[in-house]
Amino acid sequence: MIKQPPTKILRREASPAEMTRAALVQAALKLFGRQGFDGTSTREIAAEAQANIGSIAYHFGGKEGLRTAAADFIVETIQTVAGQALGNAQAPIPGGPEGAQAQLFAALERMVGFVVASPQAGEIVQFVLRELSHPTAALDRIYDGVFEPTHRRLCQLWEQATGEPAESEATRLTVFTLIGQVIYFRIGREAVMRRMGWNDIGAAEAAKVVAATSGNLEAILASRKGARIKGQRP
C-alpha cells in the first residue's frame, strides 16, 4: 500500500454558538435516552448543557428539533465508524470471497470496539432503544441513515463471502444475528459484567468479546462452506 504524504489540515476553533449547540445535542442525547422524550424538560437539558434555556429554541426551534439533531448526530457518528470498516455502500468489494470474509471479521471487531467498549455508545444505544420502543420521525432518520445501509452492506459482504444472495431472507436474518450478538454486550452490559466477574468492559474485555463473536462467525462460515461442498458431491 502506497502511503500518501501527510496533508496539513487547517482547523478552526468552534465558535461559542457552535459549542453551545453541540453541548445541547449531547445533553439531549443523554437525557432523552435515560428519561425519555416526554420525561425530559427543556430546562433540564439546558442545565445539563450549562446553556441558556432560550438557546434551545434559537438553535433547534424547540425540543422536537433538538431530538432530530440528536438523531442526526447518531447517524453521523455511526456512519463514520461503519465507513471505516465497511467502506462506501456502493463501492465494489475487493479480494473475492477471502477479502469479503476478512472485511466481515474487521467489521465485527470495529462494532465491538465501538458498541461494547466506547463510553459514548451507551448514550447512543439508550436513545435508539427508546426510539425502537416508541418510534418517531427520529427513528426514521436513524433507520435510513444507519440501520438500512449498514445492514445492506453487510449482506453484500455476506454474498461475496458465501455465495448466498444478499437480499435473501436467510442472509438478512444471519446478518441480524451477527449484529445482535454484539448489541447484547451493550444492553446486557451489567449482567455480563456480573456473570463474568468484570468491573468494567475496557480494551482487554472487549478483545475477549471479539474473540468469542469472531469464533461464532468462523463457525457459521465453516458450516456454509461445508454445506456447499456437500452439495457439490455427486
Side-chain angles (χ1 to χ4, degrees):
M1 178 178 179
I2 300 174
K3 293 185 178 181
Q4 298 295 326
T7 303
K8 186 177 181 180
I9 300 174
L10 298 177
R11 299 179 183 274
R12 65 177 181 82
E13 292 186 3
S15 68
E18 289 170 331
M19 292 174 67
T20 296
R21 192 182 193 282
L24 287 168
V25 170
Q26 290 294 327
L29 186 66
K30 176 181 178 180
L31 294 177
F32 288 160
R34 182 182 297 174
Q35 303 171 186
F37 182 78
D38 293 333
T40 302
S41 69
T42 53
R43 190 172 299 279
E44 287 177 296
I45 295 169
E48 177 71 25
Q50 298 182 352
N52 188 296
I53 191 171
S55 59
I56 294 176
Y58 176 79
H59 287 288
F60 307 101
K63 188 177 169 185
E64 187 62 52
L66 184 51
R67 172 160 61 181
T68 299
D72 288 342
F73 172 81
I74 290 172
V75 170
E76 182 181 350
T77 300
I78 298 181
Q79 280 181 347
T80 299
V81 174
Q84 293 169 348
L86 299 175
N88 186 288
Q90 283 73 45
I93 300 167
E98 292 77 15
Q101 289 183 25
Q103 205 165 353
L104 282 171
F105 282 105
L108 195 61
E109 183 174 0
R110 177 72 67 172
M111 277 194 285
V112 171
F114 178 73
V115 174
V116 179
S118 168
Q120 183 186 39
E123 294 175 357
I124 289 176
V125 170
Q126 278 191 321
F127 184 100
V128 172
L129 286 174
R130 283 193 177 273
E131 284 295 319
L132 289 169
S133 299
H134 304 284
T136 70
L139 180 61
D140 294 337
R141 300 174 86 91
I142 296 169
Y143 178 84
D144 292 339
V146 174
F147 286 171
E148 197 277 343
T150 301
H151 186 272
R152 186 178 295 277
R153 181 62 170 177
L154 287 167
C155 288
Q156 292 169 353
L157 284 170
W158 189 260
E159 178 177 18
Q160 187 82 358
T162 67
E164 298 172 7
E167 289 303 305
S168 71
E169 183 176 79
T171 294
R172 284 179 287 159
L173 286 172
T174 297
V175 169
F176 274 125
T177 65
L178 295 175
I179 297 171
Q181 65 175 337
V182 175
I183 297 297
Y184 177 79
F185 284 96
R186 169 56 67 176
I187 63 176
R189 185 181 185 87
E190 186 61 34
V192 170
M193 289 193 299
R194 291 187 185 192
R195 185 70 180 94
M196 297 303 299
W198 294 342
N199 294 322
D200 192 13
I201 299 182
E205 292 79 14
K208 295 175 183 177
V209 175
V210 169
T213 54
S214 294
N216 293 340
L217 176 55
E218 286 177 359
I220 297 172
L221 290 170
S223 70
R224 296 299 202 275
K225 183 177 180 180
R228 289 199 305 274
I229 293 172
K230 184 177 180 180
Q232 292 169 0
R233 290 174 182 168

